[in-house]
Amino acid sequence: MNVIALILLGSVVVVPAVALWSLHWASRTGEFRLLNRAALLPFDDEEPVGQATDQILNRGGDRR
Amino acid sequence: MSADSNRPLDPAAALDRGEATDVVQMHAAVQRERPEPMEGSEPLNLWLVVFIAVLLFWAGSYLTQYSGGFRADEFSENQINPAPPPVVGGSGGDDPVTKAVKAGTPLYVTYCAPCHQGDGNGVAGQFPPLAGSEWVLAEGPNRIIRIVLHGLGGPITVKGSTYNNQMNAFRDSMDDVQIANVVTYIRNSFGNKGSAVSAAEVAAIRTATAARVDPWSAAELEGVAVSGGGEGAAAPAALTVDQIKEALKALPAEDLKTLLQDVAK
Amino acid sequence: MSSTNTLKALMPGDVQSDPARRAMLAEIDASCRVPVLFFVVSGLMWLLLGTLLALVASIKLHNPEFLAAWEWLTFGRVRPAHLNTVIYGFASQTGIGVTLWLMCRLCRVPFPAPGLTTVAALFWNLGLTIGVVGILVGDSTAIEWLELPRYSTPILFFSYALVAVWSVITFRLRRERHLYVSQWYLLAALLWFPWLYATAQIMLLIEPVRGVVQASVNWWFAHNVLGLWFTPIGLGAIYYFIPKVVGRPIHSYYLSVLGFWSLALFYNWNGLHHLIGGPMPAWMITVSVVASVMMLIPVITVAINHHFTMVGHFGKLRHSPTLRFIVFGAMAYTLTSLQGVANSLRSYSEIVHFTHHTVAHAHLGVYGFFTMVMFGSLYYIVPRITQREWPSLALISVHFWGCALGLILYVVPLSYGGILQGLGMNDASIPFLKVVEGTLPWLRIRTGAGLLLALGHVAFVVNLGWLLCRVFGPYRKPVVELFTETGTAAVTAK
Amino acid sequence: MNYGPLLFLGILFTLASSWVGLVLMPNRQLGALTANTSTNDTGVVVVYPQPRHGEAQQGAEHYRSLGCVYCHSQQVRPEGFGSDIERGWGRRRTVSRDYLYDKPVMLGTSRTGPDLTNIGERQSSHDWHYSHLYNPQITSKGSVMPPYPFLFEKRRVPASGPSSDALKLSGEFAVEDGWEVVPRPQARQLVEYLRSLKTTVDLPEAPLPKAAAVEE
C-alpha cells in the first residue's frame, strides 16, 4: 500500500468527520440562525428590498 | 455598528470633490426602481441530494478503478484490463508483400513522409515524388536500397523533372528488416506496383557498401545494376579496386572477418 | 407591501432610514473611488491592447505571412502577450477593483487605504508593462499562464500583497456581523491567489522542480487562476448584483453554502485534466478527472440558486445593463463548466484535447463568464462611485450586443471546428495538412468574431471616458432627469 | 457562516488539500526520478535521457523564446488513445522520465502543428529544417506555420563562392542571382535542438513495440 493511497483513504475518513463536526458546531453556535439577515446584506436604505435598480435602458418609450 | 456612525457625517467631507451637498439629491442619481418583494432560504431539493450522492459514488469507484495503484511508474489507467502488447505488422495474411507493407507504414510516416509527403507525391521543385518514380520502380531494388541506406545528394531527374536537394542517410535509424519493409511499402503504395524486398538483400548491400560515408549522387547510382547480385556480389561496378581496398581498411576487424567468411562461402 | 415591512423589521435598527446611514454609504463609495477607478481604467486600457494582440494572433493563424518579418510580432510571442495582458492586465485589475468595492459595501466600512492601494495599482501596471515587453522581446518563460518573465513578477507580487492585505483588513474591520455569500467568495479569492502564485513562481521559475512535476505544478496553477481567482470573484459579483438589481434576496442560503464549499473542495483538484494522455502517472490524471466531474455539484447548485432568484424578473433584462451582462455571464458560467466537465472525460478529451475546441472553451469561461460579469458590475459601480450617469445608452447597447454576439460567434463555430479537427487528427489516414486546412474557415470566423468584440470594447471605453470627462467637469444634475421617472419622482413625492 | 476564522480555515484547508495532492505528492513521487541505464541488443550500455548541451541547449532557449510550444506539443499519447503512434509521431508513448532534464518542460496543449517529440528521428536533415523555418510553404504547402525570415540572413554571395549551408531555394522562393540566404546562429541552434528531440530508447515503463519478424 502506497503512501498516497493511505493519505487518500485517511482523508475519506477525516474530511467527513471534520465536516460533520463543523456542521454541528455551526448549528450549536447559531451560525444558521437569522439567515435572512445575511441574505439582506446587499440591500440598504438607498436600494432597498423590493425595488429594482439600474433600470436605465429602453425607457424612452415610457417617458413619452 | 460602531458608535461614531450614528453621528451624522458631513456629506461634503465624504466626497472629495465636495460638489454635492445634498445627499438625497446625490443618491437620486442612482435610484431607479420598481417594487417586488421576496426573500428566501429554501431548503435543498431532495433530487439534488440524490444526484450528489450518485456523483460521489461514481467518484469513488472511478478513482479506485483507474488510478493505476497510485504508482509513479503506472501510466495506463487501464492496468486492470491491459491492452494487448503492441506488435507492429503482426498478422495480416500470409502474403509477404502485404505483411511488409503493413510493417513499413509507420516507418514511412516517420522517416519519409516529412519530405516525400503522405501521398508519396513529394513537393514540386523540392522533394521528388515516389509515386510512379522510375528510381523506385526499377526492376531490382539495388539503387533504392542504397539511397535509403546512405542518402542522396546533388541533382537527380525523376519523372522528367530535376531536383537538387539533400536526402538523409538512414543506415543507423533502421535495421535491415525495417529498411526492407519500408522499401517494399514504397514499391507497393501510391499506385506503385513492385516486387517485395527482403532483409537479406538489404543486408548484402549494407555489407558491401559498409565503408560509404557520403550520400550517393545520381550519376554514381546510374552505374549500379538495377538488379542482380547476391551474397557479397552486390559490389557496385563503379567501385574501383582502390575504393574497395580503402573500404576494407575502414572496416572493424570483426566485421572484416565475417565478411571474409561470407565471401569464402 | 407588508412583506417588505416584515423584512425591514428584520434589519438592524441602524440600517433603517436615517441621514447617518446615508452619509456612511456615500462615504464608502467615495472612499474607494480613486483606487477602484484606477484599477478599472488601467484594466480597460490593457483590454484594448489585449484585443489588438488577439486580433493580430488570430489573423496570423489563417494568414501566416501577416507581419511575419518582425521577430517580436511572431505568433509565439503575440499569443502569450495577449493572454497575459487580458488575464493580468484587464481581468485581474478589473476583478480587484470590483472586489474592493464589494468588500467595502458588504462590510459597511470605508476603504481604509485608498492612497496606498492606488500606489499598488501603479506598481501592478509597471510590473505588467515590463513583463509584456519582456515577452515580446523573447523572455517569455513558455509556461502557460505564467509567461511573464521572472524579473517582472516580484513587482506584481508586491503590488498584489498590498491590495490583498488591505482588502483582508477591510474584512476584519467589518461593522456588519453577518457575512453575505459574496464575501465568502471574495475572501477566498484574495487568500487563494497569493498561495497559487507564490507556489508556481517558486517551483517553476525560481527553483524549478524536476521534469514533468513542472507540468503538474503548471496546470495546478493555471487552472486554479481561473477556478480560484476569477471564478470566486465572478460568482461573488453575480451573488451580489442579481439580488441587488432585481430587488429580492438570493433564493436559498443552503444552496449558497453547498455551492461555495463544493467549489472550494473540488475546483482546485481539476488542473491535471489538461494532461490527459500525457506523460503523467495515471492516478494524477484520474484524480483530476474525478474532481472535474464533481464540479457538477457546485455548478448545478449555483445555477439553480441564481435561476430561482431571477425567475419572474427576466423582464428586467430589458432595462438594466448590469443585469443583462451579469445574467449572460451566469449562463456562460454554467455552460462553460458543463463543457469543462465533458472536456475532462478521457473519451471526449481524446478528441478535443490539442484542438481549437479548448481555445473556445477557455474564452467561454474567461470572457463569456468572467469578463461579462465584470462589465455588468462596472455598469453598476461606476455611476455610484462617480455620482454620474452613463452618458450614452446607445453605446451601452453596442457594447452588449457586440460582446454577446461576438462571443457566440467566437465560441460556437470554433468549438464545432475543434471537434472536427480532433476527429481528423485521430484518423491517421487523413494527412496532417488536410486537418490544418479544415480548420481555416473556423479560424477566419474567429477573426470576424474578434472584430465584433473589439467594437464592443471600444464602445465601452468611449462611454466610460465620456463619463469620466463629466466627473472632472462641473457637477451636472441632468442625469437624474434623463433616466429616472419612477424612482426619484416617487421617492420625493412621498 | 458568520464566523470569520472558520471561513478562513476552510479556505486554506481546501487549497492545501490539492496543493499536497497535485504538487507535493507528484514532487515526492517523481522528483527523485533518475535516468535509466540499460543494455541494448548490441551490448552497448545506454543511459537515457541525457541532458542537452551546447547548441542544442541554446536552441531550446530559442524554442522557448519564439513560443513554438503554443502550436507544437511534445508528448506522444499511448497506443489506442488518439492516433499519435499511427501518425509516426513516436514509436512509444512518452513517460515522465523522457522529460527529466527539460527546463521548462514544454509538453504543449495545442496541435495547430504536428507533435515534435520525435522530430529529430523523423527528420534529421539540416536542409529540410532550414527550408522549413525560412518558409514552411517550401516544404509543407498549405501549412499555417509562420515563416521565420529573421532567423536567416540574405547576403551577397561572397567572393570565395556560395556558402556550404546556403539554402537551396528554387521556384517562387528563389533569391536573385548573386545573393544567398544563410542561417543565422539562432537558426543553427534551433535546428540542433529539433534534431536532438528523440524518444527512440526503450524504457521499462514504456517499452518500444517489438517489430514483428516479417522476413522468414
Side-chain angles (χ1 to χ4, degrees), chain B residues 1 5 9 14-16 25-26 28-33 36 38 40 42 44 56 62 66-67 72 74-75 77, chain C residues 14 20 27 30 33 247-252 254 281-283 286 294 313 346 384 387 389 475 484 487-488:
Chain B
M1 184 60 63
S5 66
L9 291 172
L15 282 175
D16 41 12
Q25 170 218 347
M26 192 172 71
V30 292
Q31 251 187 346
R32 331 156 187 111
E33 80 293 345
E36 200 76 46
M38 241 321 265
E42 296 285 320
L44 293 187
L56 284 169
Y62 190 86
Y66 295 109
S67 284
E74 186 52 65
F75 293 87
E77 71 280 6
Chain C
D14 52 30
E27 191 193 350
R33 175 194 293 171
R248 148 192 210 188
I250 206 77
H251 172 66
S252 164
Y254 304 106
W283 72 266
T286 298
M294 297 311 277
H313 298 265
R346 279 193 162 97
R384 280 156 181 77
Q387 301 298 332
E389 276 296 357
Y475 178 74
T484 53
T488 334

Side-chain angles (χ1 to χ4, degrees), chain D residues 148-168:
Chain D
Y148 292 88
F150 46 82
L151 295 178
F152 296 85
E153 187 186 357
K154 190 177 163 190
R155 63 177 189 196
R156 283 196 177 282
V157 175
S160 51
S163 317
S164 60
D165 53 2
L167 267 61
K168 299 179 183 65

Side-chain angles (χ1 to χ4, degrees), chain C residues 213-233:
Chain C
V213 186
Q214 290 172 44
S216 175
V217 180
N218 183 190
W219 285 109
W220 174 78
F221 167 78
H223 204 88
N224 282 347
V225 170
L226 201 63
L228 300 186
W229 173 233
F230 293 134
T231 303
I233 294 179

Side-chain angles (χ1 to χ4, degrees), chain C residues 190-240:
Chain C
L190 288 168
L191 295 174
W192 278 329
F193 185 67
W195 187 337
L196 289 170
Y197 198 67
T199 306
Q201 288 290 325
I202 293 168
M203 297 184 81
L204 292 175
L205 298 182
I206 296 170
E207 192 60 52
V209 285
R210 272 192 122 187
V212 289
V213 186
Q214 290 172 44
S216 175
V217 180
N218 183 190
W219 285 109
W220 174 78
F221 167 78
H223 204 88
N224 282 347
V225 170
L226 201 63
L228 300 186
W229 173 233
F230 293 134
T231 303
I233 294 179
L235 288 181
I238 296 177
Y239 265 115
Y240 182 84

Side-chain angles (χ1 to χ4, degrees), chain B residues 2-89:
Chain B
S2 58
D4 60 358
S5 66
N6 289 329
R7 178 173 50 83
L9 291 172
D10 177 18
L15 282 175
D16 41 12
R17 297 202 58 81
E19 64 244 344
T21 46
D22 181 1
V23 185
V24 178
Q25 170 218 347
M26 192 172 71
H27 277 267
V30 292
Q31 251 187 346
R32 331 156 187 111
E33 80 293 345
R34 185 179 282 173
E36 200 76 46
M38 241 321 265
E39 60 97 45
S41 48
E42 296 285 320
L44 293 187
N45 184 307
L46 180 64
W47 289 111
L48 185 68
V49 177
V50 171
F51 173 71
I52 291 173
V54 170
L55 265 185
L56 284 169
F57 177 76
W58 172 87
S61 35
Y62 190 86
L63 208 55
T64 4
Q65 189 166 8
Y66 295 109
S67 284
F70 295 96
R71 288 164 58 97
D73 57 353
E74 186 52 65
F75 293 87
S76 165
E77 71 280 6
N78 288 322
Q79 43 76 280
I80 287 175
N81 184 17
V87 173
V88 174

